[in-house]
């Protein structure tokens, strides 16, 4: 009981302290990652020593990284990243080799032994998945072109680090054949999990999510269960391999990413991103606190001077290497700079590689402290470069322009502009879609029902599954660039938010429930407010007038209505409908 209480108290202290530090960071315009790392340093043995790393904090921090990769996977639609896969591979492989060589060189120059320098080189060639993805997500740039490049390179690095950790976990290998066997086993396992994830996204997940997507709570729980299934398989991979006499290592981060990748191919991924974000933020907060929480001051500072020198040299080297390689692949100068400036730091995986090397008797604990301090220094500095990356580019553009190749690698993702956005597919909006389709090149429909999404897509409309109130959904529909918006929501707050976000030039039709609501929406700039009750009353008056004055016109109108109902067309031809009956 005492142990459980102590664990709960430690976790409460971590969460409370990190929350307060994160709040202060946001209020002062500082990156939250820095606040979390400082929290860990202050609470841990390096300063106050009031909280220790426990099994609970380790588990939560591991889940933090796993959920970060899961969230990343959900963002990665294959059709949106396939166009950058070739340049990503061409960038990432030589990048790791060149950074590793730079790491070995600076380590030897600082007085480390040959084996220590080799391990340091292998540890510093990765950039921080946690830092880069968190910063890209916070800045809403994960799906930008430079974001896709960085994320793609990080994924290649993660695959390499999984292989390296598998080799280091086995200790000093007896021969080259043992290393080669480990590499083959890990590569085969990653390939099998990838095939399983993509196969499930085509044949298993669609019918499952089609049934549960309309229930938000069940939808979220099924998605989380899917993520934990892959985490379990990755973490307990030896349970499946032991009957064959094989041992291997797979990171839960890789499993979580593949689980998210499978979900990303479904039309429900945008909605899921918004649901996973808060949970991810909680776990990631614990992760960054825990990174600094385990530091012992003596071990951490043993090579402090060398760590500062190495941090400066490696950050400069990383920027130059990334800049050259991204520019070599023909990306624009801005994309090249933004992609390079985000990858300056040494990864948390560098610390993990150091731990594995220490446990395998490759390095001493002081070298592990050097790698830890090096990672912390570069993480802390790099977040400021990422926070102000656009401002830095504007200042440095005149100097950098001499390396501008003039090439412009296209982003690949469809960009909407001057299009129509329709919120909700129902009796009101379905009658307008065919007219909008004739007027606009792109019509984007947002809806919360899976059968509606399928109907819309089958008829050639760009349909987005999700709740319009989610900022991710609004961004994906390019609401701010729309020329015309039609909302069938009668929720005044939803329509107020809509009117506050559209451009001044956009035409907006919205629906209201009462006359008071309609007046409020007109006051906020709506061009037309639809009152269904009022429309029904006016139409009823027209029917009644026809019945009393011209029975033939009335009969024609009723017959036309009956035919329209019997056809039950998802997108009726209103132009034809308006040519007869009461509409003459």
């Amino acid at each position: 009981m005492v142990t459980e209480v102590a664990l709960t108290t430690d976790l409460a202290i971590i969460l409370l302290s990190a929350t307060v530090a994160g709040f202060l960071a946001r209020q002062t315009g500082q990156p939250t990652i820095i606040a979390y790392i400082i929290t860990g340093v202050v609470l841990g043995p390096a300063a106050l020593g009031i909280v220790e790393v426990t099994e609970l904090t380790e588990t939560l921090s591991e889940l933090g990284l796993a959920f970060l990769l899961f969230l990343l996977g959900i963002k990665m639609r294959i059709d949106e990243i396939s166009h950058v896969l070739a340049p990503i591979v061409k960038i990432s492989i030589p990048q790791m080799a060149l950074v590793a060589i730079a790491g070995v060189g600076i380590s030897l120059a600082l007085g480390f032994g040959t084996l220590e320098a080799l391990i340091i080189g292998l540890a510093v060639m990765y950039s921080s998945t946690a830092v880069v993805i968190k910063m890209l997500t916070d800045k809403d740039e994960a799906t930008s072109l430079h974001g896709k490049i960085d994320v793609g390179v990080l994924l290649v690095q993660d695959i390499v680090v999984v292989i390296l950790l598998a080799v280091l976990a086995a200790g000093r290998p007896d021969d080259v054949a043992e290393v080669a066997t480990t590499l083959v086993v890990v590569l085969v396992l990653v390939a099998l999990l990838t095939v399983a994830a993509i196969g499930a996204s085509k044949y298993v997940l669609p019918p499952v999510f089609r049934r549960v997507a309309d229930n938000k709570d069940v939808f979220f729980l099924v998605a989380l269960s899917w993520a934990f299934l892959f985490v379990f398989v990755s973490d307990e991979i030896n349970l499946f391999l032991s009957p064959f006499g094989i041992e291997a290592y797979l990171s839960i981060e890789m499993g979580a990413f593949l689980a998210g990748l499978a979900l990303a191919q479904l039309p429900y991924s945008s909605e899921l991103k918004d649901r996973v974000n808060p949970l991810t933020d909680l776990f990631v907060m614990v992760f960054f606190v825990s990174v600094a929480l385990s530091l012992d001051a003596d071990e951490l500072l043993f090579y402090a001077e060398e760590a500062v020198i190495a941090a400066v040299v490696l950050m400069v080297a990383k920027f130059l290497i990334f800049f050259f390689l991204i520019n070599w692949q023909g990306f624009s100068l801005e994309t090249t700079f933004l992609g390079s400036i985000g990858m300056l730091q040494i990864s948390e995986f560098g610390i993990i590689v150091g731990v594995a090397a220490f446990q395998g008797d490759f390095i001493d604990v002081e070298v592990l402290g050097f790698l830890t301090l090096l990672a912390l220094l570069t993480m802390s500095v790099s977040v400021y470069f990422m926070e102000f990356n656009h401002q830095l580019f504007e200042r440095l553009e005149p100097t950098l322009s001499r390396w501008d190749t003039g090439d412009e690698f296209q982003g690949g993702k469809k960009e909407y502009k001057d299009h129509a956005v329709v919120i909700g597919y129902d009796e009101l909006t379905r009658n307008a879609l065919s007219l909008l389709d004739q007027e606009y090149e792109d019509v984007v429909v947002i809806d919360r029902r899976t059968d509606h999404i399928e109907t819309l897509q089958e008829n050639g409309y760009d349909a987005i599954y999700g709740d319009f109130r989610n900022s991710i959904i609004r961004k994906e529909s390019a609401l701010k660039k729309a020329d015309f918006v039609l909302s069938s929501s009668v929720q005044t707050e939803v329509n107020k938010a809509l009117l506050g976000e559209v451009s001044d030039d956009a035409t907006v039709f919205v629906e209201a429930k009462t006359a008071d609501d309609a007046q409020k929406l007109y006051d906020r700039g709506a061009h037309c407010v639809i009152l269904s009750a009022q429309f029904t009353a006016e139409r009823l008056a027209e029917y009644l007038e026809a019945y009393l004055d011209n029975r033939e016109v009335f009969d024609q109108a009723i017959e036309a209505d009956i035919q329209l109902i019997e056809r039950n067309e998802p997108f009726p031809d209103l132009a034809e409908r308006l040519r007869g009956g009461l509409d003459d």
Side-chain angles (χ1 to χ4, degrees):
M1 177 64 72
V2 175
T3 303
E4 292 180 0
V5 171
L7 290 176
T8 304
T9 302
D10 284 352
L11 181 59
I13 293 172
I14 290 173
L15 293 178
L16 180 60
S17 302
T19 301
V20 172
F23 173 77
L24 293 175
R26 287 190 178 278
Q27 292 297 108
T28 56
Q30 305 303 310
T32 55
I33 292 174
I34 297 297
Y36 300 152
I37 292 175
I38 292 174
T39 300
V41 172
V42 172
L43 296 179
L48 299 180
I50 59 177
V51 176
E52 298 180 355
V53 174
T54 63
E55 186 176 346
L56 178 61
T57 56
E58 285 184 345
T59 301
L60 290 177
S61 64
E62 287 180 9
L63 285 175
L65 201 53
F67 267 91
L68 197 60
L69 269 293
F70 178 58
L71 181 62
L72 171 63
I74 296 173
K75 296 175 181 285
M76 293 291 109
R77 293 187 63 86
I78 292 177
D79 58 346
E80 294 177 2
I81 63 172
S82 57
H83 64 290
V84 294
L85 290 181
I88 281 172
V89 172
K90 293 177 182 177
I91 292 169
S92 55
I93 301 302
Q95 170 267 317
M96 284 187 285
L98 291 172
V99 174
I101 292 171
V104 171
I106 186 63
S107 300
L108 290 173
L110 291 172
F112 290 97
T114 304
L115 181 58
E116 292 173 336
L118 179 61
I119 295 297
I120 292 171
L122 292 174
V124 301
M125 62 184 184
Y126 320 104
S127 297
S128 173
T129 302
V131 169
V132 174
I133 297 175
K134 183 69 168 65
M135 291 299 297
L136 287 174
T137 301
D138 286 350
K139 292 172 66 67
D140 202 16
E141 295 180 354
T143 54
S144 64
L145 186 52
H146 74 270
K148 290 177 182 178
I149 295 170
D150 286 351
V151 167
V153 171
L154 287 168
L155 293 177
V156 175
Q157 291 179 354
D158 288 348
I159 293 173
V160 172
V161 80
V162 165
I163 297 170
L164 178 59
L165 289 174
V167 174
L168 293 174
R172 292 177 182 263
D174 295 330
D175 50 42
V176 176
E178 184 178 343
V179 176
T181 301
T182 302
L183 293 178
V184 170
V185 169
V186 172
L187 288 174
V188 169
L189 289 175
V190 171
L192 288 175
L193 274 180
T194 303
V195 170
I198 295 176
S201 71
K202 290 184 177 180
Y203 305 110
V204 178
L205 295 178
V208 173
F209 277 89
R210 193 177 298 117
R211 288 178 174 273
V212 304
D214 293 333
N215 186 319
K216 290 186 177 182
D217 294 331
V218 176
F219 170 73
F220 182 54
L221 290 175
V222 171
L224 287 185
S225 299
W226 175 253
F228 277 109
L229 173 63
F230 271 70
V231 166
F232 171 76
V233 170
S234 300
D235 193 41
E236 302 294 339
I237 193 69
N238 284 319
L239 287 177
F240 307 96
L241 297 179
S242 56
F244 305 99
I246 301 174
E247 288 189 5
Y249 171 87
L250 274 182
S251 69
I252 64 173
E253 294 81 20
M254 180 61 66
F257 170 75
L258 293 176
L261 185 68
L263 295 178
Q265 313 317 308
L266 305 178
Y268 324 114
S269 57
S270 296
E271 172 76 4
L272 188 56
K273 294 173 198 173
D274 201 69
R275 305 294 301 277
V276 172
N277 259 323
L279 188 61
T280 303
D281 288 341
L282 172 64
F283 286 136
V284 167
M285 179 174 68
V286 178
F287 168 79
F288 281 110
V289 173
S290 297
V291 166
L293 201 61
S294 58
L295 304 178
D296 181 274
D298 293 336
E299 297 170 356
L300 182 67
L301 301 176
F302 190 86
Y303 288 113
E305 185 177 338
E306 290 85 348
V308 172
I309 296 171
V312 174
V313 173
L314 287 173
M315 289 178 72
V316 173
K318 279 198 166 191
F319 176 81
L320 294 176
I321 290 169
F322 271 105
F323 190 91
F324 169 78
L325 292 172
I326 298 175
N327 188 62
W328 167 53
Q329 287 302 303
F331 291 94
S332 70
L333 185 63
E334 183 176 13
T335 298
T336 299
F337 178 84
L338 297 178
S340 304
I341 206 72
M343 305 290 277
L344 303 181
Q345 69 290 125
I346 307 302
S347 173
E348 62 280 352
F349 284 128
I351 301 174
I352 297 173
V353 167
V355 171
F358 171 68
Q359 293 175 344
D361 199 28
F362 291 94
I363 59 174
D364 296 328
V365 68
E366 289 79 12
V367 180
L368 174 58
F370 166 80
L371 286 172
T372 304
L373 184 57
L374 183 60
L376 288 177
L377 289 172
T378 54
M379 282 183 191
S380 301
V381 174
S382 69
V383 293
Y384 286 98
F385 283 107
M386 293 191 72
E387 181 72 21
F388 304 105
N389 53 1
H390 292 282
Q391 294 92 322
L392 284 171
F393 175 73
E394 291 175 2
R395 285 181 172 272
L396 297 174
E397 185 177 10
T399 304
L400 296 171
S401 59
R402 69 185 66 179
W403 288 283
D404 193 353
T405 61
D407 297 329
E408 191 68 36
F409 191 101
Q410 298 302 316
K413 185 177 180 180
K414 188 173 183 178
E415 298 289 342
Y416 297 115
K417 187 176 182 181
D418 296 329
H419 58 299
V421 175
V422 177
I423 302 163
Y425 173 69
D426 54 19
E427 292 296 328
L428 176 68
T429 57
R430 78 184 184 94
N431 292 331
L433 282 174
S434 57
L435 294 175
L436 292 173
D437 195 34
Q438 295 172 23
E439 182 69 22
Y440 292 95
E441 181 178 350
D442 294 308
V443 179
V444 182
V445 187
I446 301 169
D447 196 82
R448 273 278 310 159
R449 284 184 51 176
T450 56
D451 55 335
H452 289 173
I453 295 295
E454 291 172 358
T455 299
L456 290 161
Q457 291 177 336
E458 288 170 0
N459 286 272
Y461 292 94
D462 292 344
I464 300 175
Y465 172 87
D467 191 330
F468 172 77
R469 289 171 293 186
N470 293 347
S471 59
I472 293 174
I473 301 296
R474 297 198 299 274
K475 183 176 184 297
E476 191 165 329
S477 68
L479 181 66
K480 293 182 179 180
K481 299 180 181 179
D483 180 65
F484 181 89
V485 182
L486 170 60
S487 169
S488 65
S489 174
V490 294
Q491 298 181 49
T492 306
E493 294 307 316
V494 170
N495 289 325
K496 284 182 180 178
L498 159 64
L499 290 165
E501 189 162 339
V502 295
S503 70
D504 294 336
D505 298 329
T507 300
V508 181
F509 282 35
V510 295
E511 187 175 3
K513 198 170 185 179
T514 67
D516 288 342
D517 290 342
Q519 187 60 54
K520 292 176 183 176
L521 294 172
Y522 274 124
D523 292 342
R524 287 180 175 264
H527 294 80
C528 176
V529 181
I530 305 159
L531 281 166
S532 297
Q534 184 184 62
F535 277 22
T536 302
E538 292 177 358
R539 194 64 169 174
L540 174 60
E542 292 174 1
Y543 273 92
L544 185 57
E545 183 180 1
Y547 178 78
L548 296 173
D549 296 341
N550 192 331
R551 185 65 63 88
E552 184 179 352
V553 171
F554 173 79
D555 291 339
Q556 289 176 355
I558 295 299
E559 182 62 29
D561 287 345
I562 292 172
Q563 290 178 7
L564 185 64
I565 294 170
E566 288 176 345
R567 286 204 304 262
N568 194 28
E569 295 177 355
F571 309 101
D573 188 348
L574 290 187
E576 180 181 348
R577 174 75 178 88
L578 293 173
R579 283 198 294 267
L582 299 175
D583 301 299
D584 283 341

